[in-house]
Amino acid sequence: MFAMILHKSAIERLCMRHVELSAFSTYGIGGKANYLAMPETSEDLADLLQDCKLRGMPWYIFGMGSNILFPDEPEHDLVFISLKNLVDLRVTNGKWHVSSGTPMSLLSLMGLMGRHDLLDFTFLLPGCLGAGIYMNAKYNHRQICDILDTVYYIDTMEPGLHIQSVAVSDCQFAYKQSIFQQHPWIVVGADLNIPVSSEEQVLSTAQLLKDWKSRGSHPSSLPSFFSFFLGEVHALAGQGIPTPQSMLDIIKYRTSKRHFDYPSCGSVFKNNYNYGVAVGALVDQLNIKGTEYGGAIISPHHGNMILNQNQAKASDIRYLMNLISESIDRQFGFVPEPEIVLV
């Protein structure tokens, strides 16, 4: 008699059940998801999407959860897919290839080990590369699109779900905008236009990546995120690689604004460059910093941040977002566009 081997479907194989989404967001907010997966390869991701299609189950793709407000009560059949385990940083055909789940902050340390400052602006950006490409993440005058050569993606409307590529010049990058916001495409990686400095840099980067993957704490915790990267910078300084002033300035700025003291998603609204004044400065003028609702508070230190100071719900954050939006519209004549993604 021949034994019959039953193969598990991708959803059965890759999904965890009844998972609190709050653990997968830097906001620490979100109800219980019936399905949550963290594929480690693009092949597993494609299998999972195919299975969702066959079953007629919707999905939601995200990375490290650093720019997302999950709902208090997620839809029952919605499959949440985090790409934060899709992590790789290697040299392929003479170029740095980075998978979409790789933290952007790792790039700054890679640059540091290569003795150049081309990637310094990514230091302490709390998110992964895929999401950074999707929203064209920036710090000061530098943007993620500045360091890209080619982006790799899966078109979810294409039957085979094969990996395709697009040159950075065709990605329609602008201020926090990209072509990936206009199509059902999932970013799975990118080639950088940053030079490979030395074999020593390659080996050191491989060890850094190993350290990140082996850490025990959850990468969606802001204090844990901050302590890891600050510790790595100090370790490199101990090895004779000094921390450049640009990165010291980032540490000073983010600590002075208390970015990592409470769970948050950073800036809540995009700045309106046509108006010419940052949203945080407008909130200062409105004198509503420190306003509390439920477990949430408009940061007393940064008017464009809403903090989860005491087990806040998504509804608490949304209330304060509406307060800021309506107040700015009433006083300054425009409605600010959310930067945070509301699921």
Side-chain angles (χ1 to χ4, degrees), residues 242-262:
T243 307
Q245 188 60 47
S246 56
M247 292 173 72
L248 293 174
D249 289 343
I250 290 173
I251 295 172
K252 181 179 179 181
Y253 172 74
R254 294 201 182 276
T255 53
S256 69
K257 298 296 183 181
R258 314 294 266 291
H259 281 192
F260 304 114
D261 286 9
Y262 287 96

Side-chain angles (χ1 to χ4, degrees), residues 148-170:
L148 301 178
D149 178 271
T150 305
V151 180
Y152 299 91
Y153 66 95
I154 292 175
D155 180 352
T156 61
M157 298 302 292
E158 192 263 326
L161 297 178
H162 302 297
I163 295 177
Q164 304 182 52
S165 64
V166 56
V168 64
S169 58
D170 295 323

Side-chain angles (χ1 to χ4, degrees), residues 166-304:
V166 56
V168 64
S169 58
D170 295 323
C171 289
Q172 300 176 23
F173 285 116
Y175 170 62
K176 298 191 177 178
Q177 295 180 14
S178 74
I179 194 172
F180 304 100
Q181 298 171 10
Q182 305 168 27
H183 298 279
W185 299 351
I186 301 172
V187 176
V188 295
D191 292 334
L192 307 185
N193 60 16
I194 303 300
V196 180
S197 300
S198 64
E199 182 63 25
E200 179 186 2
Q201 183 194 28
V202 175
L203 295 175
S204 299
T205 298
Q207 182 59 50
L208 175 65
L209 193 65
K210 183 178 179 181
D211 292 344
W212 171 260
K213 290 181 176 181
S214 65
R215 57 199 293 266
S217 53
H218 200 285
S220 291
S221 161
L222 284 177
S224 173
F225 165 87
F226 179 60
S227 64
F228 175 85
F229 286 102
L230 199 62
E232 289 295 325
V233 163
H234 289 160
L236 289 173
Q239 298 169 25
I241 303 177
T243 307
Q245 188 60 47
S246 56
M247 292 173 72
L248 293 174
D249 289 343
I250 290 173
I251 295 172
K252 181 179 179 181
Y253 172 74
R254 294 201 182 276
T255 53
S256 69
K257 298 296 183 181
R258 314 294 266 291
H259 281 192
F260 304 114
D261 286 9
Y262 287 96
S264 79
C265 276
S267 295
V268 175
F269 295 100
K270 296 180 182 180
N271 289 322
N272 184 341
Y273 285 105
N274 291 327
Y275 191 82
V277 180
V279 168
L282 296 180
V283 174
D284 288 350
Q285 296 178 40
L286 291 167
N287 198 30
I288 56 176
K289 287 199 304 186
T291 300
E292 300 181 40
Y293 185 82
I297 182 173
I298 300 175
S299 172
H301 307 284
H302 192 306
N304 197 15

